[in-house]
Amino acid sequence: MHTDNPGLLAPTEATLLMFATDMDPETRKLVHVTYGSQGGGKRRIISIGTDASHTDAVVAADQPWADSPGLKGVTSPLMAIPVPGRDLVDGGSEHYLFWHDEGTKQLKYRTVRTVHAAPYTITPVTDDRAVSAHWESLKDVVWPVTSMPVPGRQGVGGQNESYLFHYDTEGRLWYSTISIGDDADHPDALVAGARPVADWWQASLKGIGQLMEIHPVPGRQNAGGASEFYVFHQDGRAGTARKLMYRRIAVATDAEHADTLVTEDRPVADWWSASLKGVA
């Protein structure tokens, strides 16, 4: 996803990144959200209930993302992946935060820690590193946009698998399957190479606009043989204004991991008005 490609949003135009800060299934799921244009991005904490309606609310109001120590210097955040074994540890969770350095034009990452209680401080655990030098599984990835845990493939044989969604320089959306080890070094590996999303996700992602984020539906993980996810995307077909939309999809936990569409696209402004108001 580059600024010289008119088919995709430039990083200076939009960003949306969501990652869990509290996975307590008995109460609510707190979610850290960063959004906005490069240089003017914000962060907030929202909650999504585990009830049938998945009631959403704002927990902590907007703050500039640059004000958070763990986000300082990040010009274009792209995605976050949980660090295996580092969630719900000593009142916080760790994530790998991937971002695009607008100055050097490099893909970088750092490890950050989010505290689960107010003021939900995000602090750096490691300095920035070049993705190309430290992630074998991402060495051919141009522009990662989001990841999805592969249902039924977490903590199996000491590995945690994720689908990694990424764009090429022509604006085509691909996905790969990667794994991250449970041990202290968290080695990564490429499980399955890049495949076109249009060919392999026809049941659930057909007609998707520019993919922005995929996030687990609380209380719907490994439920009834499948896990459900919210898929956020920018719908900006020719002649129409860009609009943030979402749909719900399901992926089976069996070996085939068949995908299905649970609910069709809905405007985020209408259905997430309590928690994502102003996010576009």
Side-chain angles (χ1 to χ4, degrees):
M1 189 162 69
H2 296 288
T3 56
D4 58 358
N5 185 352
L8 291 169
L9 291 177
T12 54
E13 291 182 64
T15 237
L16 172 64
L17 184 150
M18 301 170 67
F19 56 92
T21 61
D22 184 352
M23 296 294 289
D24 184 355
E26 300 302 322
T27 54
R28 61 184 178 182
K29 180 178 182 181
L30 298 182
V31 179
H32 175 92
V33 179
T34 66
Y35 74 98
S37 59
Q38 185 268 331
K42 300 176 182 179
R43 72 177 184 97
R44 69 177 62 164
I45 302 291
I46 71 171
S47 66
I48 308 173
T50 56
D51 58 316
S53 298
H54 302 294
T55 306
D56 61 306
V58 172
V59 176
D62 285 349
Q63 298 178 17
W65 77 46
D67 287 356
S68 182
L71 299 177
K72 188 175 182 180
V74 173
T75 52
S76 296
L78 298 176
M79 68 175 184
I81 298 178
V83 179
R86 298 301 299 168
D87 59 324
L88 295 175
V89 175
D90 297 328
S93 295
E94 293 182 10
H95 289 78
Y96 300 116
L97 175 63
F98 295 83
W99 64 288
H100 183 253
D101 188 328
E102 289 298 289
T104 64
K105 306 300 181 184
Q106 284 185 312
L107 187 61
K108 295 182 177 180
Y109 83 101
R110 63 178 66 173
T111 305
V112 299
R113 183 177 188 272
T114 301
V115 176
H116 294 164
Y120 308 102
T121 306
I122 301 175
T123 56
V125 177
T126 66
D127 293 332
D128 288 325
R129 300 170 178 174
V131 169
S132 59
H134 292 272
W135 286 79
E136 180 67 21
S137 61
L138 275 69
K139 67 178 182 179
D140 295 323
V141 171
V142 175
W143 194 272
V145 64
T146 191
S147 69
M148 172 197 294
V150 180
R153 298 298 300 170
Q154 306 307 302
V156 177
Q159 299 294 317
N160 303 272
E161 294 185 7
S162 295
Y163 296 123
L164 177 71
F165 295 84
H166 51 100
Y167 284 99
D168 63 17
T169 56
E170 302 301 319
R172 292 170 297 196
L173 183 60
W174 301 76
Y175 83 103
S176 310
T177 306
I178 69 172
S179 68
I180 304 174
D182 281 332
D183 60 17
D185 292 331
H186 302 300
D188 69 297
L190 183 65
V191 178
R195 301 173 178 179
V197 167
D199 294 342
W200 290 84
W201 293 77
Q202 295 182 9
S204 63
L205 298 182
K206 185 177 181 179
I208 199 83
Q210 180 167 327
L211 183 60
M212 303 291 284
E213 180 63 282
I214 297 177
H215 196 74
V217 179
R220 298 299 301 167
Q221 301 306 295
N222 299 318
S227 292
E228 295 186 9
F229 300 88
Y230 299 118
V231 178
F232 295 87
H233 65 104
Q234 283 272 13
D235 183 20
R237 287 165 285 189
T240 64
R242 294 191 185 275
K243 180 186 296 186
L244 186 60
M245 309 291 287
Y246 86 102
R247 62 179 66 174
R248 272 174 64 179
I249 70 171
V251 181
T253 56
D254 61 15
E256 298 298 323
H257 300 301
D259 62 303
T260 56
L261 182 66
V262 178
T263 61
E264 297 193 6
D265 284 338
R266 298 170 174 175
V268 168
D270 295 340
W271 290 84
W272 293 74
S273 58
S275 63
L276 296 182
K277 184 177 181 179
V279 178

